Amino acid sequence: SVRSTPLAKPTVKLNRLPDKEFPYRIIEPTKKFVYNLVNAYEPNDEGNCVFIIDEINRGNISRIFGELITLLESSRRMGRPECLEVYLAQMKVMFSVPDNVFVLGTMNTADRSLTALDTALRRRFEFIEMMPDPNVLLGRKVADINLTRLLATINNRIEILYDREHMMGHAYFIGVHTLEDLAQCFIN
């Protein structure tokens, strides 16, 4: 679960997906949120805070992280023997990353900007391949079209005719409930 700090105000009102509750809060991080996260941190705090950066490979890594990239290493975090701190000039405080803070970066492997991915980023992140999973759509049908089979068939053909890096993700079909939704899925 994500540690809930009373100092951070939720700015994004997204607490449900159509069929389930989220087991965590989603908030839009601000400078004040990050500052409060660090100041409210206690070593025995078991909650986690996750920052998600979508399509991280498309951004300028030095502008996203700056000097903080070094602080993401597990050995450089708060309370560790090799802990590093940086001075945050705007907030006039010393800062280090607590153990309960995680950064997830998503990237599309079909995007060739991966070749220029910063070496510093490659050293600090674990890369986990997440291929499309048709089973996420198990049991879903639209006008007698089995979405699981449809996605699996499309991706098998893409893999044979092109390559596996360009397969369609299951997320394309998550919002499909009608035949019109399915048609729109292919238009987009």
Side-chain angles (χ1 to χ4, degrees), residues 41-52:
Y41 174 76
E42 295 176 17
N44 55 357
D45 188 351
E46 295 179 23
N48 294 321
C49 182
V50 179
F51 289 91
I52 301 172

Side-chain angles (χ1 to χ4, degrees), residues 113-150:
S113 67
L114 286 178
T115 54
L117 197 59
D118 192 74
T119 306
L121 194 63
R122 289 184 184 275
R123 280 190 20 231
R124 288 168 180 89
F125 283 84
E126 181 177 346
F127 289 80
I128 302 169
E129 181 179 57
M130 295 185 74
M131 296 305 290
D133 183 5
N135 292 324
V136 170
L137 306 168
L138 205 57
R140 302 247 328 255
K141 285 188 174 185
V142 171
D144 291 330
I145 299 170
N146 181 325
L147 295 181
T148 305
R149 266 187 67 201
L150 176 64

Side-chain angles (χ1 to χ4, degrees), residues 86-105:
V86 295
Y87 182 73
L88 299 178
Q90 288 184 332
M91 295 179 188
K92 298 179 176 45
V93 295
M94 294 303 289
F95 174 84
S96 67
V97 177
D99 273 340
N100 69 332
V101 172
F102 299 90
V103 178
L104 299 179

Side-chain angles (χ1 to χ4, degrees), residues 22-50:
F22 283 155
Y24 46 82
R25 290 182 314 134
I26 296 178
I27 59 172
E28 184 177 328
T30 62
K31 288 179 186 176
K32 187 173 183 173
F33 168 76
V34 174
Y35 175 78
N36 290 336
L37 172 74
V38 173
N39 285 334
Y41 174 76
E42 295 176 17
N44 55 357
D45 188 351
E46 295 179 23
N48 294 321
C49 182
V50 179

Side-chain angles (χ1 to χ4, degrees), residues 54-80:
D54 193 26
E55 300 211 11
I56 194 168
N57 55 306
R58 290 179 172 255
N60 180 333
I61 300 306
S62 61
R63 291 197 65 197
I64 293 171
F65 292 109
E67 295 175 26
L68 301 179
I69 188 105
T70 303
L71 304 182
L72 292 175
E73 293 179 32
S74 58
S75 63
R76 306 290 186 184
R77 291 184 174 229
M78 185 184 295
R80 299 291 175 108

